[in-house]
Amino acid sequence: MIRVEHLSKHFGNLQVLKDINVEIKRGEVISIIGPSGTGKSTFLRCLNLLDHPCGGRIEIDGVDILASKAEVPALRRRMGMVFQSFNLFAHLTVLENLCIGPIRLLGRPVADAADKGMELLRMVGLAEKGQQFPDQLSGGQKQRVAIARCLSMEPKIILFDEPTSALDPTMVSEVLGVIRRLARQGMTMAIVTHEMEFARDVSTRVLYMDEGLIYEEGPPEQIFEHPMRERTRDFIGKVRSLHWRVESPDYDLYALVGQIEGFCEKHLIPAKTAYAAHLLVEELLGVLLACPGSPCIDLTLAYSEKQHQLELRTDSFGPAGNPLESAQLDDGIALQLIRGYAEEIRYERADDCNRLRLLIKPPAAHGPGHPGE
């Protein structure tokens, strides 16, 4: 139904979409997830040409909507869009908001448009609000009206741009309930959302976007239970990260420790675990900087809110080999400290780097006599 090939979009020097390739089939419900600022909303706006792409191709039922002779208004009417901010006409009643499009753009008789409008309001549970004005409604009710208004134009596809992000949490479920009903009825939909459980339940496929690309896609079970790629795993696991690059043996240890302490305090990580992270970083850097190769070392401290785990990752350049298996370290104090504070240590060769992953022990597993008792 929709085929997107090599779609790109930039605003000045800012590249928002880099190379989007995806196909959406009739009846699919596609959830688009990912960090803020990765181009999700821009992607939807490009699909119905609210933002014009800078490159690539978009086909709807085999018609290239970017072609010079494409009838954009007619094509856009086939693709409804529901925004974060409702965009209802404040001077019109709820029913009039649903009737104005069919009357003016589709040429429907007033009575027919009103009958259809009331039918749609009943579907979203708001028939009794037909003669009220938008400012008399709650946020959840306004969004349900916006969905009904979109349906009044008889679209073949509906695009939802974070339809619950402007709502009080108590109102989210009423809007998601309407979208679930549309999914059961077979409506083709693409939904940008931060509601992970909803995306898991309602989607036929999930797209994870990062840095202007579709970084990973698959059925909900794969994306939420067995993601294949690291950034997807971090996002699904609600991982928060601190990154630091060491480029010299004369690095600023005190600044690094301050960053670690601030990161741990921000995410309510116990002081004892923060202290273990500090010690691990200091000892690991001592080991890695003594190894042959470049002194450039990338550190990542990653905290998973979902699993309540803190992981330290290091990427160091140099000859392949686990730095912690060096013969000179077998009985070293540094190695003893590292093993004492790490619940699990894994090594892999990735991207021409020696990568170490150390899962930091939870507070109860630390030995006595350290700060944070």
Side-chain angles (χ1 to χ4, degrees):
M1 190 170 196
I2 303 175
R3 182 187 296 273
V4 178
E5 297 177 344
H6 306 297
L7 186 70
S8 64
K9 175 66 179 177
H10 58 80
F11 297 98
N13 294 326
L14 178 62
Q15 187 83 22
V16 180
L17 301 177
K18 296 178 181 177
D19 186 20
I20 301 293
N21 296 277
V22 69
E23 184 173 356
I24 301 175
K25 298 177 181 178
R26 191 178 307 276
E28 277 198 300
V29 179
I30 305 296
S31 287
I32 305 167
I33 64 173
S36 299
T38 54
K40 303 184 299 298
S41 295
T42 301
F43 172 51
L44 287 195
R45 293 174 65 86
C46 283
L47 286 182
N48 71 353
L49 302 185
L50 288 176
D51 286 334
H52 203 280
C54 296
R57 183 181 181 90
I58 302 173
E59 289 185 3
I60 300 177
D61 289 337
V63 177
D64 182 2
I65 69 172
L66 299 179
S68 58
K69 296 183 180 179
E71 297 182 17
V72 173
L75 289 166
R76 189 177 283 154
R77 284 198 292 270
R78 299 175 62 191
M79 188 182 296
M81 190 160 182
V82 177
F83 301 89
Q84 302 175 30
S85 54
F86 322 133
N87 291 354
L88 300 176
F89 294 111
H91 66 289
L92 300 179
T93 66
V94 165
L95 182 58
E96 287 169 343
N97 265 277
L98 269 65
C99 293
I100 187 171
I103 292 170
R104 293 190 178 182
L105 300 177
L106 301 182
R108 300 283 190 266
V110 173
D112 289 353
D115 288 344
K116 180 65 174 180
M118 287 304 299
E119 179 185 331
L120 291 171
L121 287 175
R122 280 190 287 272
M123 191 201 82
V124 300
L126 292 172
E128 65 180 4
K129 304 292 185 181
Q131 299 308 314
Q132 294 187 9
F133 289 87
D135 63 2
Q136 296 175 280
L137 305 180
S138 70
Q141 290 171 337
K142 289 177 185 177
Q143 193 61 292
R144 282 187 280 158
V145 171
I147 294 172
R149 181 183 61 180
C150 178
L151 291 169
S152 72
M153 295 297 292
E154 302 176 5
K156 302 298 182 184
I157 309 151
I158 301 182
L159 310 177
F160 291 90
D161 185 12
E162 299 190 42
T164 61
S165 66
L167 301 180
D168 184 281
T170 60
M171 301 174 185
V172 169
S173 61
E174 61 191 67
V175 174
L176 297 184
V178 172
I179 299 174
R180 283 192 176 92
R181 177 172 180 172
L182 293 175
R184 289 195 297 269
Q185 294 173 349
M187 174 64 72
T188 306
M189 295 183 283
I191 309 165
V192 171
T193 182
H194 289 288
E195 301 288 340
M196 297 297 103
E197 290 304 317
F198 169 75
R200 183 200 300 264
D201 292 343
V202 79
S203 308
T204 53
R205 192 152 43 102
V206 177
L207 310 182
Y208 173 72
M209 287 187 65
D210 204 324
E211 295 188 351
L213 297 166
I214 296 176
Y215 182 76
E216 184 171 353
E217 64 176 288
E221 315 85 69
Q222 174 193 317
I223 297 298
F224 290 105
E225 301 298 335
H226 307 287
M228 304 295 292
R229 307 190 68 183
E230 184 167 310
R231 288 183 186 175
T232 314
R233 288 194 294 269
D234 284 352
F235 181 80
I236 297 301
K238 296 184 178 179
V239 173
R240 304 293 180 256
S241 300
L242 169 68
H243 302 281
W244 192 281
R245 171 165 284 192
V246 173
E247 297 181 296
S248 163
D250 299 319
Y251 72 96
D252 190 340
L253 173 62
Y254 297 102
L256 176 52
V257 170
Q259 289 284 328
I260 292 170
E261 290 177 349
F263 175 83
C264 291
E265 183 177 349
K266 177 180 178 181
H267 298 291
L268 305 179
I269 298 169
K272 204 170 186 182
T273 305
Y275 179 72
H278 157 207
L279 279 185
L280 277 173
V281 167
E282 187 173 357
E283 298 300 335
L284 261 181
L285 286 177
V287 171
L288 297 176
L289 289 169
C291 293
S294 167
C296 183
I297 301 166
D298 286 326
L299 297 172
T300 301
L301 193 63
Y303 177 61
S304 169
E305 294 180 0
K306 189 173 182 179
Q307 298 177 336
H308 302 290
Q309 291 180 335
L310 188 63
E311 181 185 75
L312 174 63
R313 299 197 293 258
T314 66
D315 286 309
S316 55
F317 298 90
N322 187 343
L324 298 183
E325 291 181 351
S326 169
Q328 298 93 318
L329 294 173
D330 284 349
D331 298 314
I333 295 176
L335 191 57
Q336 291 180 37
L337 281 170
I338 291 169
R339 287 175 173 166
Y341 282 98
E343 187 171 52
E344 179 183 334
I345 301 174
R346 286 177 290 158
Y347 165 80
E348 62 182 343
R349 183 71 176 177
D351 302 324
D352 297 322
C353 295
N354 293 318
R355 178 170 296 169
L356 289 169
R357 294 174 176 269
L358 296 89
L359 189 63
I360 298 172
K361 288 181 179 179
H366 296 159
H370 296 292
E373 288 286 358

